Every structure is written in structure tokens, then in C-alpha cells.
């Protein structure tokens, strides 16, 4: 039996908005330590991992591990029906074929229940090896989203180059060449840790889908190392994170 | 000869926006008691009735009954050209084939005249019998609009169930089941008067078109009785109303 | 060698938004007196002329005349990537085949460079004869934009009639007739100078494209004379202007 209650719906809205850009259906694994999700995107290129600890919830009870196979488009519709400040309780029986989302307004004068059918989805649990990244950059998540959007106007491919003091995004296409360079700021909103300078190229459209998680966090962490997937991490307060992984392009890697 | 002047255009904009969602063309019946309109929607399922008393107008003169057959899409275009705080004067001669809308800015430095051709429309005056409704609910019009929109994501059919203390809207479709329940609030913004509990089903898309009248009134009145059409009424200040009528679905009526 | 620096990007954004509505590609002529552009619109009906004096720039150096053939859609994309308060420096070598746009945030912690390929465009320098206009009207540019938009809902053709104290815009179409009349105001935001009353008709869709320059200036100047093109002028502070010219319609000219 699984029951979890969030004090407001906004967080769940933002998580689902971030996921559904990259996944049409997925399975939430609920256990006594919290909720997890791990999946390849629909085109099997990038990987997304979500972790929500039990501390994230006002109330959390999970007597037995439950896997909730959800259609994220349907879930997004349900969440669109809720006010951001409604509380939301998620309930599922053991071996249930449906999950219940209950929304309550503050005075409880308005209650809304939505029962969604559960899906039986294949799950491929991929081990994500721990990696020592040679470049780790923290920057405002809005700035990262803007750069990814701007770059994608120029080329399908975005090159990220890190040096000691700066991170540079480049795109080279028919229209011309674009370069955006960020330096560490005195304000401390851009932090760059580079053991070894490197330059890697990525498919811009995946970077763009990752940035749908922007409302979840003010800062985004970008971590790179040669020949391993890029990590883009959005923390969810102190309670978890959404991480995206994307392998660099082999042919177009700049040096 | 007919001449009527409104102190601002906003009210007329809102009325036309409410009507044109359900009617493409219609006839305004102008008499010395005010303006009336009554019509089946374009698909001949629901019925709409508008009443505007002469008190609604800064100036009102109607020496002879006039019927103004209007294309509501054209009228909406004309109204889009006016500022909401312009005054508007509607003028038509007896047996005219056109109607004039004159807009004036406050200082009268800007005047705009629009002459629209009148249409010859068939009119079916339907008697609407007075009904004793067993359930009458007043609720915020925005809340009703939101519920109708939310329900229509789940199913074409919406069930409204009234009990002594609550009104419940339900929809049951492929995606799952949705239930929204409102109780009488201490704030008094939801008032429920039920002589006899009942449950009736309606076509959600008509309910949705009715809610285009939402900007006209803060509160909407919903009245139901077994086997008679639902009444949804938006008051227009103290000067009139827009009423919508929709028969319940026979097959799917819950009990 | 050409280099010009604007303290913020907003002005350039507005200029390019105004031009690209009417031109897909065009040549900026840079000389030691400033930047000029003159071109027929893509359909060769109206004419647009831009003048920006060197005073407009924080820094301006032009050692040799340079013609920059630009794809305005690409330039608009580049400008969309810049914040309105970024500074922008435009750089081109003599006989260059590319132009560089460099954007800097205030603290210079963020720099973005965009290199656009230059186009080889045919240029037709058209002499615009000085004209004594018999009617000159200054009015709020937003009001002019609104009138042009409203008129185009009624007819493709807009008639502008000036008398001593008023300017009237009219359109006559299938839907009906529209007339908007402005008088000189005590506030002085509409100023009408008429030597000789006249009435001329114009293609409304060109007037509408001219109004894309509205954000550049609070006031627009409209100048008419019999049998010569209408002039619509948007001043750019004290540093220049965008002027549009459109010949009156011959057949439909009212009297």
C-alpha cells in the first residue's frame, strides 16, 4: 500500500513538465526510501533519472514496493486541473491497476479526485556508473536554458568548451557562427571548476529538452569529462534531483 | 426609430463574446422595454436567452419595435476596434437594412462609426416554461468555468450530482475518472439549495460554451430538476441576464 | 574598416523588426556620416528609407565606405539572442564577406559573438524628390497602428481624408463601412496642418506593415499631397528616422 502527500501541487507539476518533454510514459518506483524513476528518453538517446526522498512529502507510507506505470500526458492533464497550492495525495493499493490523485483546497471546501489507469511498462534499469568529471560548472538554470535555445537557432550541434575560467558554447551553421562565453562572476552565480580543459559536442535538441526542468531549480550543474556522457543536474530543494545524461557526438568533437 | 447608448463598450463586448460562441448570427429584438434575444445554438441543441432592460443604457429610445439581424462575427470585429471605455451608441431606422455603431472617446476627439448590414433571419420564438427547480446552486462563475474545462478533458459527458450540502461534477473516460466536489463554504461563495438530491448528465462541450459568459458575472446560478433542461444563468448587473438551457442526456443519466 | 557600438541592443532590435516586415534582405550603407538604407519592399510597391547618424552610436569608426548585405531574418534571430540592455558592437573589415555582432552584458561576464555571412545584393538607389506636402499630421504612433489594423478588417483599401481640423480614415467592404475621425486635441497629441483638404486611397496592408515601426517613436508623421506618395515617418530620437513611401491608389481615389 502506497500513500504520499505533498503540501502543494506546484512541485509535482514542475517535475511532470520536466519529464514529459522527454518521456511519454514511465514508471515511478516507490519504496520506503522515496520515489525513483530512471529511463531512456523516447528516442533512446539520452537518459533521465529522478529521485525524491521521503522528506519531500508531508506524509509518506509505503508498506511494499510499488511500481506505477504512468502515461505522463494524462498525468499532466490531471495536474493542469489542480491549483498549484492545492495539496495532493497519491494513493495506490498493492498490485493495483489504478492510482488515485486527490487534490484538496486549503479549507477542503473543494476536493478533486482523479483516478488514472496504470500501464504495464517494460523497464530497463540501467546502471549509471559514478564518474569523476574533469569540468563541473554551476550556473543559473535560466541562463543555461537561454543559451541552449539560442544555440539551436544556429546548428543542431552545440560545442561546450571549458577552460580554467570560462565555459563557452558554440554553434556553427548555414547562417553563421555563434559563440557565447560565460566567466566566473564576482556575484558567484557562475562557478567553474576545471581540472582539465576540454571541448565536447552535443545534440542541441536534447539539451533543449533538458531545460524544461528549469523551473525546478535556480541553479543547474553541468559536468563533463572526455568520452563520457554529459551530466545536467537540477536539484529539487534538498530532497532529490532530476539528472539528465547525454553522450557527446563522436564525429564532430572539436579539440 | 431605435437609439441606445451605453456609457462604455466593455459590457457589449462581453455580451457579444458570450453569444458568438454559440450563435453565428442572431436577431436582437428591441422594444420600449429593452433588448431581448432568444435562440437555439447553431447545432440546435441548447438555447440562449438574453435580456437587457432599458435601465442598462445611458440613453434609450425605441419608438417602434425593431428587429436587428446581426452577424455576430462581424459585430465582434467592430467591437474589437473600440476601446472598452469608449461610449457606444447603436442606431437604426425603422425598417432599416443597416445598423450604426458609433464609438466616442471621452473627450470626443476620436469618433469611430461602423455601419453593419442587417440580415434577414428566421426567428423561432420558443416559449420557455417556468420551472420549479429542485436543485439551485450559486457558485463563482470562474470556478464553474474551470470545472467544465477540467471535466471535458476526461469525457464528453459530465454528470452533475447534487446532495443537501454538496455539488459533484464527474467525468469517466478512457484516461480515467474525475470527480470534483464543492461544499457550501463559510465564506458564502458557494450556496446550495436542494429539495431533492439528483444526478443528471450533460454534454460537456455545451457547458463549456456557456462559460464564455464568465466575464459578465462573478456568480453563476445553476438550476436542475429531473427531466427538464439545466439552467445556467449569468446576471448582467441588475439590468438583465444571459440564460442558457441544456437538456440532460437520456441514455447516460446516472441515478 | 567599420566598427560601431550601441549602448544597448533595444534600438537595433526595433529597427530590424520594423525593416524585416517589409524587406527580407537589404544592404546597410555605412559611411563616415552614419548608416543608411534605402529599398523597395519585397513586392516593389512601397519604399523604405533608414538614416542613423553617427551621434546615435557610443563609438563609430568608418575608415572606408562599406556595404553590408544582410539577411534580415537571420539578423533578427541573432538579436533575439541578445538582452535588450546588452551593448552591441558591429564590426566588418573592408571587402569582408562577413559581419560580426558582439554583445556584452554590463559586467562583461557574458559575451556573445555572432558572425553572419554577408550577401551580395543588387542595389537600386532611388532618388526621393523633396515634396511640398499639402497635409501634414502628427499623431500618436500607437493610434495610427490601431487605425490601420482596424481599417484592414473592413477593406483592402483605406481612404485618408484631411480637412482643416480633422483627419478621417475610411474603409468600405462587404461587412459594412468604417469611419474613424481624429480631431486636434487640446492635449496636443494630434496636430493637423492642412493647406488644402484632400482625400486619397491606399492599400491598407502596406500601411499595416509600416506600423511595425511603432515601438521606435511615440509620434508618427503622416504627410500627403495630391498625386504623390504618402510619407509615413518615424523619428529615431534625434539621430535619424525610418520613412515609408506609398503611392495612392489611382482607381479608387475618392474626391
Amino acid at each position: 500500500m502506497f500513500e504520499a502527500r505533498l503540501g502543494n501541487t506546484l512541485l509535482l507539476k514542475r517535475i511532470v513538465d520536466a519529464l514529459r518533454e522527454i518521456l511519454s510514459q514511465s514508471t515511478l518506483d516507490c519504496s520506503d526510501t522515496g520515489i525513483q524513476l530512471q529511463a531512456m528518453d523516447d528516442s533512446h538517446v539520452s537518459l533521465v533519472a529522478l529521485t525524491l526522498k521521503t522528506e519531500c512529502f508531508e506524509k509518506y507510507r509505503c508498506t511494499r514496493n510499488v511500481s506505477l506505470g504512468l502515461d505522463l500526458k494524462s498525468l499532466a492533464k490531471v495536474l493542469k486541473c489542480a491549483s498549484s497550492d492545492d495539496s495532493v495525495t497519491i494513493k495506490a493499493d498493492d498490485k493495483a491497476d489504478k492510482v488515485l490523485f486527490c487534490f484538496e483546497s486549503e479549507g477542503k471546501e473543494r476536493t478533486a479526485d482523479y483516478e488514472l489507469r496504470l500501464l504495464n511498462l517494460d523497464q530497463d534499469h540501467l546502471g549509471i556508473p559514478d564518474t569523476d568529471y574533469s569540468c563541473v560548472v554551476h550556473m543559473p538554470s535560466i541562463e543555461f536554458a537561454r543559451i541552449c535555445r539560442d544555440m539551436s537557432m544556429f546548428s543542431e550541434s552545440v560545442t561546450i568548451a571549458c577552460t580554467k575560467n570560462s565555459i563557452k558554447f558554440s554553434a556553427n551553421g548555414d547562417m553563421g557562427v555563434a559563440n557565447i562565453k560565460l566567466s566566473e562572476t564576482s556575484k558567484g552565480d557562475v562557478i567553474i571548476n576545471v581540472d582539465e580543459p576540454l571541448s565536447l559536442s552535443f545534440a542541441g535538441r536534447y539539451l533543449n529538452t533538458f531545460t524544461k526542468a528549469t523551473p525546478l531549480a535556480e541553479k543547474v550543474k553541468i559536468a563533463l569529462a572526455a568520452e563520457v556522457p554529459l551530466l545536467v543536474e537540477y536539484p529539487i530543494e534538498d530532497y532529490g534531483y532530476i539528472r539528465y545524461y547525454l553522450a557527446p557526438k563522436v564525429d564532430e568533437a572539436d579539440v
Side-chain angles (χ1 to χ4, degrees), chain A:
Chain A
M1 199 273 184
F2 171 72
E3 186 173 344
R5 179 185 161 96
L6 285 163
N8 69 63
T9 302
L10 184 60
L11 180 64
L12 190 58
K13 285 186 186 220
R14 288 177 168 170
I15 290 171
V16 172
D17 282 345
L19 296 176
R20 79 196 179 94
E21 197 61 31
I22 202 165
L23 300 169
S24 55
Q25 306 181 325
S26 193
T27 300
L28 288 179
D29 294 310
C30 310
S31 70
D32 57 5
T33 60
I35 295 178
Q36 292 211 307
L37 170 153
Q38 202 196 88
M40 301 293 286
D41 73 87
D42 288 349
S43 58
H44 280 250
V45 171
S46 64
L47 192 144
V48 58
L50 163 73
T51 289
L52 280 180
K53 294 184 205 158
T54 58
E55 290 86 348
C56 185
F57 299 91
E58 280 191 3
K59 181 176 169 181
Y60 191 91
R61 204 151 62 98
C62 186
T63 54
R64 238 185 177 205
N65 289 6
V66 184
S67 287
L68 306 176
L70 289 165
D71 181 78
L72 293 175
K73 203 174 153 189
S74 299
L75 180 52
K77 280 186 181 177
V78 163
L79 292 172
K80 223 185 135 189
C81 298
S83 296
S84 292
D85 48 4
D86 285 354
S87 74
V88 51
T89 306
I90 310 166
K91 289 183 199 170
D93 291 332
D94 296 344
K95 297 184 188 166
D97 63 350
K98 61 197 182 193
V99 58
L100 196 66
F101 290 87
C102 305
F103 301 92
E104 282 179 340
S105 65
E106 209 179 303
K108 301 199 184 179
E109 282 117 353
R110 184 190 206 271
T111 60
D113 296 345
Y114 299 93
E115 200 179 279
L116 288 183
R117 294 186 216 309
L118 289 176
L119 309 172
N120 245 321
L121 303 173
D122 284 341
Q123 277 194 276
D124 28 295
H125 266 286
L126 302 134
I128 302 168
D130 274 344
T131 303
D132 280 335
Y133 293 99
S134 52
C135 303
V136 177
V137 178
H138 291 84
M139 69 164 82
S141 60
I142 286 174
E143 176 73 61
F144 180 63
R146 181 182 161 197
I147 290 171
C148 292
R149 186 201 63 195
D150 290 354
M151 289 292 128
S152 66
M153 288 202 288
F154 282 79
S155 169
E156 288 179 8
S157 180
V158 177
T159 300
I160 304 179
C162 293
T163 61
K164 280 282 166 225
N165 305 307
S166 73
I167 179 167
K168 191 174 79 172
F169 299 82
S170 305
N172 190 338
D174 292 343
M175 204 167 86
V177 180
N179 293 299
I180 297 177
K181 200 171 88 174
L182 299 182
S183 307
E184 281 210 341
T185 58
S186 48
K187 288 185 284 181
D189 59 352
V190 176
I191 299 170
I192 297 169
N193 289 304
V194 173
D195 292 337
E196 201 176 351
L198 60 74
S199 174
L200 294 168
S201 293
F202 301 93
R205 74 186 187 86
Y206 291 99
L207 298 182
N208 263 316
T209 59
F210 301 166
T211 64
K212 299 300 171 188
T214 301
L216 275 172
E218 275 191 27
K219 287 286 179 67
V220 61
K221 172 176 149 186
I222 297 161
L224 301 108
E227 286 165 40
V228 304
L230 164 76
L231 163 66
V232 178
E233 176 180 320
Y234 294 87
I236 299 173
E237 294 164 40
D238 297 327
Y239 309 133
Y241 53 77
I242 290 191
R243 289 183 182 152
Y244 299 96
Y245 298 88
L246 177 66
K249 287 194 162 189
V250 178
D251 298 335
E252 303 179 50
D254 297 41
V255 188

